[in-house]
Amino acid sequence: MLNAAFAFGVPIGLILLYLVFWFIKRTRYADYRRFVLALISVFLTTFSYQVYRYSQTVLLVNSLKEFKQSFGYSQNLLFIPLVVGIILTILNFILLFQQFRKKE
């Protein structure tokens, strides 16, 4: 789970998927697009949080130096996809609620 290709590859893939749906501007899919963007951002946040929590359990057994030697990156880099996911989730829920208010 802490392999760099997995720990950073999945968030990069989710961000690319997010961008694909972000640029779909067809009015026919506008209602569903915001919901799909919210789902992707929530999954990004959840996945990144699970990876970060697992890295903390590994650090209970190993030192930070051993962690960096074993996995090739610092544990602090795991904050980047987590923070991006949190920001996108908050932004999407705000925009989703605004979209629902306009329809009422």
Side-chain angles (χ1 to χ4, degrees), residues 3-103:
N3 181 0
F6 184 71
F8 296 108
V10 172
I12 289 171
L14 288 171
I15 290 171
L16 291 176
L17 183 65
Y18 185 91
L19 290 174
V20 167
F21 277 98
W22 178 264
F23 288 116
I24 294 176
K25 298 286 186 185
R26 294 184 183 161
T27 57
R28 190 170 87 183
Y29 302 115
D31 295 339
Y32 302 109
R33 184 176 71 96
R34 181 65 57 199
F35 181 69
V36 170
L37 290 173
L39 284 177
I40 294 170
S41 64
V42 167
F43 185 72
L44 173 63
T45 304
T46 305
F47 177 82
S48 300
Y49 179 72
Q50 288 176 340
V51 171
Y52 179 74
R53 290 295 297 160
Y54 185 68
S55 71
Q56 285 184 328
T57 60
V58 169
L59 282 176
L60 292 174
V61 178
N62 300 328
S63 69
L64 191 59
K65 185 178 179 180
E66 291 172 348
F67 182 90
K68 192 170 185 175
Q69 288 176 345
S70 296
F71 300 109
Y73 60 90
S74 174
Q75 184 205 21
N76 294 335
L77 287 178
L78 294 173
F79 273 122
I80 295 171
L82 180 62
V83 169
V84 169
I86 290 170
I87 291 170
L88 288 176
T89 300
I90 292 170
L91 176 70
N92 280 308
F93 279 116
I94 290 171
L95 294 174
L96 200 60
F97 286 126
Q98 286 177 352
Q99 181 179 347
F100 285 140
R101 283 187 180 170
K102 286 181 184 177
K103 287 189 176 191

